[in-house]
Amino acid sequence: MSTLVFSLKSKPTFTLDMSSITPSVLEGLTLAKIKKLKLVYGKETVTVDSLFNVKGKYNDSIVIENSCNKLICVGKGLSKGTITVNGDVGDLLGQSMTKGSIQVNGNAGSWIGNKMSGGRIDILGNAGDFIGAGLPGDAFGMNKGLINIHGNAGDRVGDRMRRGIIIISGSAGDFCGSRMHAGTIIARSKVGKYPGSGMRRGTIILDRKPAHIAATFKSCGILKMQFLRLFFTQLAAMDKEFETFNKLGPTAHRYSGDLARNGKGELLILKSKTK
Amino acid sequence: MYIKLSNGKVYDPVHGINGEQRDIYIRDGQITRKPSSNTKIDKVYDLNGKIIMAGAIDIHTHIGGGKVNIARMMLPEDHQADLVSRTELTRSGCGNAAPSTLTTGYRYAEMGYTACFEPAMLPSNARQSHMEMADTPMVDKGAYAMLGSDDFFLRMLSSKKDQAAISDYVGWTINASKAMGIKVVNPGGISAFKFNQRQLDLDEQNSHYGVSPREILLSLIRAVTELGIPHPLHVHGCNLGVPGNVETTLDTIKAVEGMRMHMTHVQFHSYGTEGDKKFSSGAAEIAEAINKNPNVSVDVGQILFNQTVTASGDSLHQYAGHWHAHPKKWVIMDIECDAGCGVVPFKYRDKNFVNALQWAIGLELFLLVEDPWRIFLTTDHPNGAPFTSYPHLIRLLMDKSFRNDMLSTINKEAAKTSTLGSIDREYSLYEIAIMTRAAPARSLGLKSRGHLGSGAIADITVYTEQKNKEKMFSTPDYVFKDGELIVKNGKIVKVVNGGTHILKPEFDKGIEKSLKRYFDDFQTVSLGNYKMHDDEIIEDGRGKVIVQPCM
């Protein structure tokens, strides 16, 4: 059974808004109709077949081949099905998605999972800034769901996120988890300066101690945390690639903060050598 | 150049014309008498069977000034969800509840409106308000200056300065801020909020100045009368949105002792405390009082079910309402000790008892007030609903079966307590023409607008009669502004700028002496910079000042 495959004919000159290419929009459309769908391309509107070769048949999943970073809003508002992207992808991947999954076999731009409230995003390469964040003016960022980045992430991962899990296997940039309302971020390699700056609640789990922790975080000592045992067991049971979490925890150096807000958040450092 | 609108059904309440077939002639932007038979007619529009009314006038819509801008900044989701792309003629914009200035102007024109009045311009914000209004194309604009909670006025009142001096100050404010009238918002209440009072009744004293809303109200009404301002004092009364405020509203009507007063968004001031939920309709009592007191006019401030944003100068009651903010964010602020402002986004839900009853109360008021010359069609944009829902509201008023269908979908309990279902009245096109055209023009003292007689400015809207009045009023066939065709079949065909109506009342310039001292001591800007000049509105010919005469 083939899936719907959109392969890009050549690299677009302008940004291409892909928000209308989702399973819920394409369901029930014939191939001819899909080819005539409108996409916003730079300042203009073009049909799908002027930029893509489309083949296959609808079966709840979509594949985008030869993708590049000019494709924005891929999987915007995704409510079911899967989208697989082979190649890079631009900003706002999975914006406001509620269900389903997106996998990118390449790098992604900024604002991944912006305001998402469910579903799962996997990036095999690196990702830009503001993963799972809210746009300027939004009260909250990511609301639910899971974002899994295999490579490195930019600054301000999970800015204002409210619920959900973000896992970064590579390094994360500065201000990781800034202004978090709640939720969990796991950084499995090094992070930049001042993680958790301005966080209200939520948990940031770090592999090792970052170079700079803000003065508004207070050490609570090294603790054996039952939360971590439960959390990691649960994660490991979720997916094969998360099985390595079984080896982590439950001991962690806990910092509570940001005391400039209300101090109900925490940084948990797994490999801590401090007394 | 002569334009002839031939054979349309004309609704012109000022001249008592109710749907008669007439020809209308336009020359140089004005409506004229029928020219002699050998005059060349340059353009003829055959409007056989179409309906002709004057351009509609919105007497109360928040389209400029600080609070609208705060609402815009605070609600990016409102903008992201409603993007308007540019066309050959019009520029891009966005927003539904708080649209950008250009979009506001386009949308008003596309609905057949040709004039809009911003009701809450703080004198200290006047410059920005006028700049925003200058950016609102297509329609004529005007604004009411907000007084009643400003430090200078309250000082004058508490030190028992004589009425002449207060009138001078009011006249000076209208001149300095280029206003079209005076509005008072929760008289003294905005100031009281800053001194930690969380409510202020009509006869309760402001704890700092020792003056009551009643004194403020009377003093301002006297000033407006003495200065000969055509539009009566625009009153946003005490206790907005508080259950039981029907008493306060009735007291306010009694308090003015027969002097002219315009009570705005009266729907929010008509709540009783009966029933299990201690929230009931006071529409019948208010409507009765309005019917009995010919000195009082009202606009309704109808709510309609949707996401919107409430933007008001009444920081006291906006603060009280911030718990219901949706989405959860809000702003309450003071502006230059002049007044305040509160912006709270809000979602009216039809299944919610209170919202559903508010909806019914508004409609009850519309239908129970007998004289359409004294009740105006507003949603207090954006507080009750965005102005784009006016056609829907007109349908609710003109179509009883549609109204009852809607009534059956709202909260059951609210529908049961409301008398709306038993009211048979349906507005006629003539009455709609009164309440959206003739009456606002008369109330504002716009002699050459709101009618189709000879000498009127040719602001004309042409509709096709349809059974579905919502469709009919949302896409006019033609809209003329100053004699130029600007909208055809509900789409803009020409962009014009529109002018700004202002007043220049006479007053004793001696008041500037004490104002100068006050500004030097307390204000952040000097008196000279505070005052606006006509040139700032004209701005290289983009705007136009239309000075309306005082009475």
Side-chain angles (χ1 to χ4, degrees):
Chain A
M1 183 71 228
S2 64
T3 58
L4 263 180
V5 182
F6 294 76
S7 50
L8 202 56
K9 289 175 181 171
S10 62
K11 185 170 172 164
T13 326
F14 311 113
T15 53
L16 178 63
D17 186 341
M18 295 287 285
S19 48
S20 56
I21 305 295
T22 57
S24 50
V25 175
L26 301 184
E27 184 172 16
L29 296 183
T30 60
L31 200 58
K33 270 197 182 154
I34 291 173
K35 283 182 178 172
K36 291 293 166 224
L37 277 179
K38 302 271 189 229
L39 297 176
V40 178
Y41 178 46
K43 278 183 180 172
E44 297 179 355
T45 313
V46 296
T47 54
V48 167
D49 64 353
S50 65
L51 293 168
F52 291 97
N53 290 318
V54 189
K55 55 177 194 270
K57 224 172 139 197
Y58 175 83
N59 75 340
D60 247 19
S61 63
I62 292 170
V63 179
I64 301 172
E65 296 282 0
N66 304 329
S67 179
C68 76
N69 60 6
K70 293 286 185 191
L71 271 56
I72 61 164
C73 297
V74 175
K76 178 174 175 176
L78 186 71
S79 55
K80 62 171 186 177
T82 62
I83 297 180
T84 311
V85 182
N86 292 322
D88 294 350
V89 70
D91 294 347
L92 294 163
L93 175 80
Q95 184 185 27
S96 308
M97 67 185 276
T98 54
K99 251 185 190 167
S101 65
I102 302 176
Q103 178 165 336
V104 178
N105 299 317
N107 302 326
S110 298
W111 306 104
I112 296 169
N114 166 263
K115 285 186 281 182
M116 73 187 276
S117 54
R120 175 171 170 173
I121 299 176
D122 287 276
I123 313 284
L124 265 55
N126 302 328
D129 302 331
F130 292 99
I131 296 165
L135 288 175
D138 285 334
F140 302 114
M142 175 179 184
N143 203 354
K144 199 180 166 185
L146 187 136
I147 300 177
N148 180 20
I149 316 270
H150 289 238
N152 306 329
D155 296 340
R156 292 192 184 269
V157 174
D159 182 49
R160 275 176 293 176
M161 76 184 277
R162 193 177 178 213
R163 209 178 294 133
I165 304 168
I166 301 178
I167 301 168
I168 317 277
S169 297
S171 68
D174 296 341
F175 298 100
C176 175
S178 61
R179 303 187 284 177
M180 260 174 101
H181 286 274
T184 311
I185 298 174
I186 308 172
R188 302 193 64 181
S189 180
K190 61 177 187 206
V191 296
K193 289 175 185 169
Y194 307 123
S197 152
M199 72 193 287
R200 283 167 71 95
R201 290 181 299 275
T203 305
I204 302 175
I205 300 168
L206 303 173
D207 176 70
R208 60 199 83 154
K209 196 174 172 186
H212 302 266
I213 294 183
T216 46
F217 280 82
K218 277 283 165 275
S219 168
C220 310
I222 295 173
L223 308 170
K224 214 173 198 176
M225 303 194 72
Q226 291 312 316
F227 156 70
L228 280 182
R229 194 196 303 278
L230 285 168
F231 180 58
F232 285 148
T233 316
Q234 188 77 19
L235 262 185
M238 243 171 89
D239 198 324
K240 224 176 163 127
E241 68 172 295
F242 295 149
E243 271 172 8
T244 47
F245 279 111
N246 265 333
K247 293 180 196 140
L248 299 177
T251 319
H253 188 170
R254 181 175 188 273
Y255 284 82
S256 75
D258 184 336
L259 295 164
R261 290 295 282 277
N262 61 1
K264 287 185 184 169
E266 59 186 1
L267 296 180
L268 302 179
I269 297 160
L270 298 176
K271 284 185 212 149
S272 187
K273 294 210 177 77
T274 34
K275 50 219 137 59
Chain B
M1 175 168 167
Y2 273 99
I3 300 172
K4 181 182 176 188
L5 309 180
S6 115
N7 271 331
K9 272 168 82 180
V10 175
Y11 287 85
D12 184 5
V14 173
H15 299 99
I17 304 172
N18 182 2
E20 291 163 36
Q21 271 207 348
R22 297 265 173 123
D23 294 339
I24 287 176
Y25 297 89
I26 304 169
R27 188 192 179 189
D28 302 334
Q30 284 195 350
I31 297 173
T32 63
R33 280 178 223 289
K34 186 177 178 182
S36 59
S37 54
N38 52 9
T39 315
K40 190 182 162 241
I41 306 288
D42 300 82
K43 177 110 181 112
V44 180
Y45 292 90
D46 180 19
L47 304 179
N48 200 0
K50 308 250 187 215
I51 287 171
I52 304 186
M53 293 185 188
I57 298 169
D58 196 342
I59 200 165
H60 188 110
T61 171
H62 297 272
I63 53 168
K67 66 208 169 307
V68 189
N69 239 8
I70 292 169
R72 290 188 186 115
M73 282 195 289
M74 204 168 75
L75 292 169
E77 56 269 45
D78 181 49
H79 291 175
Q80 285 153 12
D82 191 350
L83 300 173
V84 183
S85 21
R86 67 178 279 277
T87 66
E88 288 289 307
L89 284 170
T90 59
R91 293 170 64 180
S92 59
C94 55
N96 182 40
S100 46
T101 50
L102 294 149
T103 311
T104 306
Y106 301 147
R107 284 184 184 163
Y108 259 118
E110 285 177 344
M111 265 178 7
Y113 275 75
T114 52
C116 304
F117 290 84
E118 156 61 43
M121 171 177 74
L122 296 187
S124 58
N125 260 351
R127 193 162 275 113
Q128 194 212 335
S129 302
H130 279 292
M131 285 167 105
E132 273 182 60
M133 287 193 280
D135 263 347
T136 308
M138 314 301 280
V139 289
D140 288 336
K141 286 82 58 174
Y144 317 137
M146 211 163 115
L147 286 179
S149 278
D150 51 316
D151 185 41
F152 188 79
F153 172 75
L154 291 173
R155 277 165 192 251
M156 276 178 119
L157 208 58
S158 67
S159 61
K160 303 273 184 285
K161 283 267 164 59
D162 65 327
Q163 183 61 38
I166 291 177
S167 298
D168 288 338
Y169 170 61
V170 173
W172 178 87
T173 306
I174 290 186
N175 269 290
S177 63
K178 304 289 163 206
M180 191 52 202
I182 292 290
K183 186 196 192 193
V184 59
V185 172
N186 189 0
I190 307 169
S191 163
F193 180 72
K194 296 170 200 169
F195 297 103
N196 281 331
Q197 284 170 289
R198 290 293 173 263
Q199 71 126 18
L200 196 70
D201 226 336
L202 191 61
D203 289 308
E204 214 170 313
Q205 290 207 328
N206 178 313
S207 64
H208 182 75
Y209 297 98
V211 293
S212 70
R214 184 189 292 267
E215 292 167 64
I216 296 170
L217 206 60
L218 289 177
S219 168
L220 282 173
I221 290 186
R222 285 195 191 108
V224 165
T225 316
E226 275 171 27
L227 291 163
I229 312 290
H231 186 50
L233 182 68
H234 204 86
V235 178
H236 161 146
C238 312
N239 288 338
L240 175 135
V242 179
N245 61 12
V246 55
E247 292 305 320
T248 320
T249 311
L250 294 173
D251 287 347
T252 311
I253 293 174
K254 265 185 225 144
V256 298
E257 298 157 357
M259 290 188 287
R260 289 172 73 221
M261 168 172 71
H262 176 81
M263 300 188 78
T264 191
H265 41 68
V266 74
Q267 179 270 125
F268 291 105
H269 301 270
S270 309
Y271 304 150
T273 49
E274 284 156 33
D276 298 340
K277 306 212 167 168
K278 303 278 172 236
F279 184 78
S280 62
S281 166
E285 287 147 282
I286 300 286
E288 196 193 337
I290 296 165
N291 289 336
K292 271 192 194 151
N293 290 278
N295 56 316
V296 175
S297 62
V298 296
D299 66 72
V300 173
Q302 175 67 29
I303 71 141
L304 294 165
F305 306 116
N306 215 335
Q307 172 71 48
T308 189
V309 53
T310 63
S312 169
D314 192 347
S315 36
L316 192 155
H317 289 110
Q318 288 293 81
Y319 176 76
H322 84 270
W323 305 103
H324 308 293
H326 175 94
K328 241 164 109 184
K329 44 189 171 184
W330 47 278
V331 171
I332 307 285
M333 66 187 284
D334 165 65
I335 301 166
E336 295 277 314
C337 285
D338 220 3
C341 116
V343 182
V344 182
F346 201 88
K347 188 169 189 175
Y348 293 105
R349 295 178 172 91
D350 56 354
K351 300 292 180 223
N352 174 301
F353 174 78
V354 172
N355 297 163
L357 201 56
Q358 285 180 306
W359 176 84
I361 291 169
L363 291 174
E364 283 170 21
L365 281 167
F366 269 119
L367 298 166
L368 293 173
V369 173
E370 284 153 10
D371 183 3
W373 285 94
R374 291 192 286 119
I375 185 164
F376 310 127
L377 186 126
T378 67
T379 57
D380 191 13
H381 163 81
N383 294 342
F387 64 83
T388 40
S389 41
Y390 285 170
H392 177 79
L393 178 53
I394 292 176
R395 189 177 178 197
L396 285 170
L397 297 178
M398 293 189 74
D399 188 342
K400 179 173 174 267
S401 60
F402 176 65
R403 187 165 70 225
N404 285 344
D405 287 349
M406 294 297 287
L407 184 67
S408 63
T409 62
I410 64 168
N411 180 293
K412 290 268 170 336
E413 233 175 305
K416 227 190 296 164
T417 51
S418 168
T419 56
L420 187 61
S422 63
I423 305 175
D424 288 331
R425 184 174 174 195
E426 284 182 341
Y427 270 80
S428 66
L429 279 172
Y430 188 68
E431 286 171 311
I432 293 290
I434 295 173
M435 79 191 312
T436 57
R437 275 95 176 157
R442 191 174 79 172
S443 174
L444 289 160
L446 307 172
K447 295 236 161 51
S448 56
R449 280 161 177 88
H451 67 93
L452 299 166
S454 164
I457 300 291
D459 289 354
I460 303 172
T461 310
V462 180
Y463 301 101
T464 306
E465 182 146 27
Q466 294 182 40
K467 196 157 180 305
N468 183 342
K469 297 292 184 272
E470 184 172 351
K471 257 196 190 148
M472 171 178 163
F473 280 95
S474 51
T475 44
D477 294 46
Y478 301 104
V479 180
F480 295 88
K481 177 95 194 62
D482 298 324
E484 283 183 285
L485 182 68
I486 56 167
V487 171
K488 198 175 168 183
N489 297 329
K491 286 275 163 283
I492 287 171
V493 292
K494 184 173 170 80
V495 175
V496 292
N497 281 325
T500 304
H501 293 285
I502 64 165
L503 294 174
K504 293 200 166 167
E506 299 282 328
F507 65 96
D508 181 2
K509 302 266 188 312
I511 189 76
E512 290 212 347
K513 220 186 258 171
S514 46
L515 273 166
K516 173 93 174 54
R517 216 174 310 127
Y518 175 79
F519 268 73
D520 289 347
D521 288 350
F522 300 114
Q523 285 291 53
T524 54
V525 285
S526 73
L527 188 70
N529 290 338
Y530 192 87
K531 289 194 286 187
M532 279 193 69
H533 292 278
D534 289 356
D535 295 347
E536 294 178 61
I537 295 175
I538 295 165
E539 219 198 334
D540 301 331
R542 274 211 306 151
K544 184 170 72 179
V545 171
I546 309 165
V547 182
Q548 293 294 339
C550 290
M551 288 194 295

